[in-house]
Amino acid sequence: MKQNVGRTDRIARIAAAVALAILTYAGIIPENLSVVVYVVAGIIALTGIVRFCPLYKPFGISTCREKAPF
């Protein structure tokens, strides 16, 4: 599995996941949506941690910088 999530993208994903979890835990997100938001936050965090986004693959998107050949 080739990494396709770069450093900035990774930080943004983890920050967004933490923010969603905090908003849900604080009760700002309605209770009937809390399970969905927790699942979405978990998926976002997981893609940031493993540095691979399955939705990027079919479109050929990669936010990783290309490494120098030497």
Side-chain angles (χ1 to χ4, degrees):
M1 177 167 62
K2 185 177 179 186
Q3 295 177 348
N4 62 4
V5 174
R7 183 173 186 225
T8 305
D9 195 3
R10 181 181 191 188
I11 292 169
R13 285 171 185 267
I14 293 172
V18 169
L20 284 173
I22 289 172
L23 289 173
T24 305
Y25 183 76
I28 297 170
I29 304 291
E31 202 172 303
N32 57 347
L33 293 177
S34 64
V35 173
V36 174
V37 174
Y38 277 131
V39 169
V40 169
I43 292 169
I44 292 172
L46 183 64
T47 59
I49 292 168
V50 299
R51 299 186 71 181
F52 177 76
C53 179
L55 292 176
Y56 281 4
K57 186 143 177 90
F59 299 107
I61 299 171
S62 176
T63 57
C64 289
R65 291 185 179 178
E66 293 294 326
K67 296 188 180 193
F70 7 86

